Amino acid sequence: MANVVVVGAQWGDEGKGKIVDWLSERADVIARFQGGHNAGHTLVIDGEVFKLSLLPSGIVRGGKLSVIGNGVVLDPWHLESEIKGLRSQGVEITPDTLMIAENTPLILPIHGELDRAREAQISVAKIGTTGRGIGPAYEDKVGRRSVRVADLADDATLELRVDRALVHHDALRRGLGLEPVDRADLVAKLRAIAPTLLEYAAPVWKVLNEKRKAGKRILFEGAQGALLDIDFGTYPFVTSSNVIAGQAATGTGIGPGSIDFVLGIVKAYTTRVGEGPFPAELDDADGQRLGERGHEFGTVTGRKRRCGWFDAVLVRQTCATSGVNGIAFTKLDVLDGFDTLKICVGYELDGERVDYLPTAADHQARCTPIYEEMPGWHESTEGARSWADLPANAIKYVRRVEELIDCPVALLSTSPEREDTILVTDPFAD
């Protein structure tokens, strides 16, 4: 049976939550493979809104197994709060519906404190983090000083892991003018939260491989967009993990040969939150209109998103680095009513045309967009469920996007509602 990876193909906020939820009806397992609780998903199901930032989107569907893989950094107290909130909305969450990899590293309170302290002291080129400790938690992971889920099961191991982490953190805190970590308090908090996490802990790599061999369909869900990838994003204004599709394998413990289809989620225009380059950004009335019509505010932070025209250069680039087989094109309805639409088809850099975003930050800063104009449409596309429901110019716009990014549309989303989706190619088709 086909296994599908879903990745955001821009800077995030592309509408992954709805698409993953829509696809989860066809899946048996939904596995989150990177990121933390710094990226949010908003699901609208039968008029009820569910806001998720750590749990996989499939958790709101009964009879599915949701998995948090080892590529995630997990804040246990946030997880506890998110579970409580969903249960209050009638969502059943048990070890039969949720599983956490035993080797998942934890986000501790000291990570958030360090994150915020460092960001506050950077006077030039702020990264624009959410201050939730994601970056410092990943630093500890590669520095081999993380506290992981499995460590909570043994007091001696837990204390050893905490002591190793504090050798590093207390030195950093002194340099930032922070008080040393209260070791006893930290250990006590971890012991108190341990039963909550250990209830869901399991060897995820083993379970997923067994599910695959049994012919179950697995849906792999990422968090941020590929342009925030630590290697292939707009560095240093990126997240602290790999976001592209290859991370689905290492972030869950399943072999890359088990991935059958990569679906890139692409918004019909471009947005980003926080600092960093954005060649097609609009600071005019069109940008304001896109933001207002698209309700462009972060699910987690509430920060206003920067808006611009569709950038085909960037999406073509991320489709290549993630090996995208087809895209889910979202929020087409936000473009309703524009007389003219623009698509960024290349950049001008120092008098020359380039067809990709350069790696060097100074080159990125000097890139200016080259636009192609297309006629807009005044009919509504909201809620369309077939090509026949779309205006002719909307179809032309979608087809031109396909040509420019060298990748076909597999799904077309026309509203936040789950069923307002046009299926072109089923990613789960064998």
Side-chain angles (χ1 to χ4, degrees):
M1 307 293 277
N3 298 320
V4 177
V5 177
V6 174
V7 294
Q10 293 158 304
W11 275 295
D13 310 309
E14 302 96 346
K16 291 183 296 297
K18 173 203 166 164
I19 299 299
V20 171
D21 174 64
W22 192 86
L23 288 170
S24 67
E25 186 175 15
R26 296 162 172 78
D28 302 294
V29 182
I30 300 90
R32 172 87 181 269
F33 62 83
Q34 58 80 218
H37 62 302
N38 54 333
H41 301 310
T42 300
L43 308 180
V44 181
I45 301 172
D46 297 329
E48 186 168 10
V49 177
F50 298 90
K51 292 185 180 292
L52 310 175
S53 55
L54 181 58
L55 290 167
S57 299
I59 197 72
V60 298
R61 283 191 175 273
K64 309 289 181 180
L65 174 61
S66 289
V67 169
I68 295 176
N70 57 278
V72 173
V73 284
L74 189 153
D75 182 322
W77 298 277
H78 178 87
L79 176 69
E80 185 177 51
S81 174
E82 196 166 319
I83 289 174
K84 182 179 179 181
L86 287 178
R87 282 176 173 162
S88 72
Q89 291 184 271
V91 178
E92 182 182 10
I93 301 175
T94 70
D96 292 326
T97 62
L98 176 64
M99 185 178 294
I100 302 171
E102 296 171 321
N103 53 337
T104 300
L106 302 182
I107 299 176
L108 308 179
I110 58 176
H111 293 131
E113 292 168 8
L114 177 60
D115 201 358
R116 293 185 292 273
R118 287 199 298 208
E119 188 76 356
Q121 294 197 13
I122 296 175
S123 59
V124 179
K126 289 180 180 292
I127 301 298
T129 77
T130 60
R132 292 168 183 258
I134 279 77
Y138 275 117
E139 291 174 35
D140 278 359
K141 175 181 178 177
V142 298
R144 294 165 293 185
R145 52 181 175 266
S146 284
V147 177
R148 305 197 296 179
V149 171
D151 300 330
L152 299 176
D154 180 73
D155 275 348
T157 301
L158 175 60
E159 295 203 19
L160 182 65
R161 296 287 186 268
V162 168
D163 286 341
R164 184 177 180 86
L166 295 193
V167 169
H168 175 79
H169 279 271
D170 279 338
L172 280 178
R173 292 169 73 92
R174 282 194 297 271
L176 290 167
L178 300 176
E179 293 294 321
V181 176
D182 186 334
R183 178 189 183 278
D185 180 65
L186 177 57
V187 171
K189 287 178 178 176
L190 287 168
R191 284 175 177 157
I193 200 70
T196 298
L197 265 67
L198 292 173
E199 180 181 5
Y200 304 103
V204 158
W205 67 269
K206 184 174 184 293
V207 173
L208 289 182
N209 278 280
E210 289 171 349
K211 296 286 187 183
R212 179 185 63 81
K213 290 177 181 178
K216 302 298 183 182
R217 289 176 169 176
I218 306 172
L219 182 63
F220 298 91
E221 173 187 4
Q224 297 89 355
L227 290 169
L228 295 175
D229 185 272
I230 188 68
D231 287 304
F232 294 99
T234 48
Y235 190 92
F237 305 101
V238 293
T239 193
S240 298
S241 62
N242 286 112
V243 180
I244 60 176
Q247 176 64 16
T250 54
T252 60
I254 199 164
S258 301
I259 296 169
D260 302 296
F261 194 98
V262 178
L263 181 70
I265 315 301
V266 177
K267 189 150 50 178
Y269 50 102
T270 312
T271 64
R272 81 171 296 175
V273 172
E275 309 296 327
F278 188 169
E281 183 173 9
L282 296 173
D283 292 318
D284 58 11
D286 285 337
Q288 180 76 12
R289 184 177 178 184
L290 288 171
E292 290 174 354
R293 293 209 58 191
H295 306 291
E296 296 297 348
F297 296 89
T299 300
V300 171
T301 64
R303 289 186 291 180
K304 183 179 179 181
R305 297 175 186 139
R306 301 155 63 190
C307 297
W309 295 117
F310 184 80
D311 192 328
V313 181
L314 293 178
V315 176
R316 182 170 62 244
Q317 194 164 322
T318 57
C319 283
T321 56
S322 273
V324 173
N325 301 106
I327 67 167
F329 205 44
T330 67
K331 302 189 86 165
L332 182 66
D333 55 300
V334 174
L335 300 182
D336 293 353
F338 280 91
D339 292 325
T340 303
L341 300 173
K342 294 182 181 181
I343 300 176
C344 177
V345 296
Y347 304 130
E348 183 178 318
L349 174 61
D350 299 337
E352 295 186 5
R353 179 167 177 152
V354 293
D355 63 355
Y356 68 99
L357 186 68
T359 300
D362 62 316
H363 288 179
Q364 291 178 354
R366 295 202 303 275
C367 282
T368 57
I370 299 171
Y371 288 120
E372 177 180 295
E373 292 190 356
M374 295 190 68
W377 57 88
H378 290 276
E379 306 94 323
S380 175
T381 63
E382 185 174 0
R385 298 185 182 183
S386 72
W387 288 108
D389 296 332
L390 296 177
N393 282 347
I395 296 174
K396 290 178 183 177
Y397 181 81
V398 174
R399 294 307 186 199
R400 183 57 178 150
V401 165
E402 289 180 313
E403 293 173 357
L404 290 169
I405 67 174
D406 194 26
C407 192
V409 169
L411 299 167
L412 188 65
S413 171
T414 56
S415 92
E417 290 291 342
R418 178 190 290 170
E419 299 307 322
D420 290 341
T421 305
I422 301 171
L423 177 64
V424 181
T425 301
D426 187 349
F428 279 120
D430 298 332

